[in-house]
Amino acid sequence: MSRQEVLVIGPIMPFVVERLKLHHDVVECENEADSAGFLAREGSRVRAVAVGLHGLSAKTIAALPKLEIIASFGVGYDAVDVAAAARAGVVVTHTPGVLTEEVADTALGLMLMTVRELSAAERHLREGRWQSEGNYRLSDGSLTGAVLGIVGLGRIGKAIAKRAEACGMKIHYHGRHRQADTAYPYHETVVDLARAADVVMVVAPGGAQTRHLINADVLAALGPHGYLINIGRGSVVDEAALVAALREGVIRAAGLDVFDDEPNVPSDLIEQPNAVLLPHVGSASRATRQAMGQLVVDNICAWLEGKPPLTPVPETPVPDCT
């Protein structure tokens, strides 16, 4: 296989760049002082692009007339304009599977922190209040016997369900359609799911179709004894409605690992004592992130060797690469 030029656009973990350099000549567009000028000069030669969470716009795709593959780092790929890629005949890949277990572990941990108030209890100890005020108060929530309503029962959603069942929870779900291979109760709408659930776990992808899917109506249906957990995409939750719900006792608490405008978390949300907030660490172990990065590399290398990509997204074509 001859070495070819691979373009890396936006911030991405150094591991990806290092591994790509073993096989190809890598140009990091972020390191170019004049990225627009660079694309105008060099874009006509680029067949493959690797991108991080910032994705790729239709404008940039149009500036790369010979582009054939966009390898996106992450299972979610809503930051890549897949419609523009499809129109241009460009295949988009992502990194599913390799992060499933790690994210499911984080989801379970975040749910435990939120429902059992573990982070608040830790602060009680660290601030010396155990000594000065006595024991931390009894938490109101418990996982045992509770109903977990999962929004998005894909790979990660099913891995979360398996863990939650081990904690004695009952699983319900909502998705675009009922899944014939699962016996979990299905709800046609998110509002109906929220009414039935003690905890709503959001695992849905981002994008226009799911933006603010979790809104004031859903939170009201979840109710004053309910919990919201989001490890999917921040855009799925209406953060203003969530702040109001937390402040007014519409729901009991929320645990979030993702936000609408990362890393800018609204101060109103940070100020809510019944919100547990993590800085998007769902898959953030070294081993998992390296596995994700290797899949980015493997998709690009396979394509440039004339082989099919390993993990293409369904919205873009996979033309004959021979």
Side-chain angles (χ1 to χ4, degrees), residues 167-222:
C167 294
M169 301 187 80
K170 303 168 186 176
I171 311 301
H172 292 216
Y173 76 102
H174 166 78
R176 286 174 292 183
H177 51 78
R178 185 189 300 270
Q179 298 187 25
D181 60 347
T182 180
Y184 299 142
Y186 174 73
H187 296 264
E188 294 285 349
T189 70
V190 185
V191 169
D192 287 343
L193 178 71
R195 287 197 188 102
D198 299 293
V199 182
V200 167
M201 173 76 68
V202 180
V203 201
Q209 290 185 331
T210 61
R211 181 164 182 79
H212 291 183
L213 181 66
I214 307 300
N215 54 26
D217 291 340
V218 173
L219 297 170
L222 182 55

Side-chain angles (χ1 to χ4, degrees), residues 100-263:
T100 297
E101 303 303 325
E102 203 76 76
V103 175
D105 287 346
T106 303
L108 179 61
L110 181 56
M111 181 165 58
L112 278 164
M113 289 173 68
T114 305
V115 174
R116 289 299 317 283
E117 304 178 19
L118 299 182
S119 54
E122 186 196 25
R123 289 194 299 273
H124 184 82
L125 181 152
R126 287 183 179 275
E127 293 168 2
R129 295 161 59 195
W130 191 10
Q131 295 167 311
S132 63
E133 301 176 13
N135 292 338
Y136 182 76
R137 69 181 183 84
L138 299 179
S139 61
D140 294 312
S142 176
L143 300 191
T144 304
V147 174
L148 175 63
I150 299 177
V151 181
L153 195 69
R155 290 185 186 90
I156 295 173
K158 288 175 180 173
I160 294 169
K162 180 180 178 181
R163 287 158 171 77
E165 285 184 301
C167 294
M169 301 187 80
K170 303 168 186 176
I171 311 301
H172 292 216
Y173 76 102
H174 166 78
R176 286 174 292 183
H177 51 78
R178 185 189 300 270
Q179 298 187 25
D181 60 347
T182 180
Y184 299 142
Y186 174 73
H187 296 264
E188 294 285 349
T189 70
V190 185
V191 169
D192 287 343
L193 178 71
R195 287 197 188 102
D198 299 293
V199 182
V200 167
M201 173 76 68
V202 180
V203 201
Q209 290 185 331
T210 61
R211 181 164 182 79
H212 291 183
L213 181 66
I214 307 300
N215 54 26
D217 291 340
V218 173
L219 297 170
L222 182 55
H225 302 292
Y227 301 86
L228 175 73
I229 310 294
N230 186 11
I231 53 92
R233 278 289 184 264
S235 61
V236 179
V237 174
D238 182 339
E239 288 180 352
L242 176 59
V243 168
L246 290 170
R247 181 183 291 141
E248 298 165 13
V250 173
I251 66 171
R252 180 170 282 160
L256 310 174
D257 184 47
V258 288
F259 304 89
D260 202 6
D261 182 26
E262 298 177 3

Side-chain angles (χ1 to χ4, degrees), residues 2-117:
S2 62
R3 294 180 70 88
Q4 299 190 48
E5 185 173 293
V6 175
L7 187 60
V8 174
I9 297 181
I12 200 167
M13 68 181 299
F15 177 87
V16 175
V17 177
E18 293 165 6
R19 289 302 176 97
L20 281 171
K21 285 181 176 179
L22 296 176
H23 308 281
H24 297 287
D25 299 322
V26 177
V27 177
E28 297 179 70
C29 196
E30 191 179 31
N31 294 336
E32 296 289 333
D34 178 15
S35 58
F38 171 81
L39 290 175
R41 294 191 311 273
E42 308 292 337
S44 61
R45 298 189 292 112
V46 173
R47 292 176 58 202
V49 168
V51 296
L53 295 179
H54 291 286
L56 205 63
S57 68
K59 181 179 179 181
T60 303
I61 292 171
L64 303 169
K66 292 188 178 179
L67 183 62
E68 299 172 9
I69 184 169
I70 300 166
S72 178
F73 182 92
V75 65
Y77 49 91
D78 47 291
V80 176
D81 194 325
V82 292
R87 290 193 298 269
V90 176
V91 65
V92 177
T93 67
H94 61 149
T95 61
V98 293
L99 75 169
T100 297
E101 303 303 325
E102 203 76 76
V103 175
D105 287 346
T106 303
L108 179 61
L110 181 56
M111 181 165 58
L112 278 164
M113 289 173 68
T114 305
V115 174
R116 289 299 317 283
E117 304 178 19

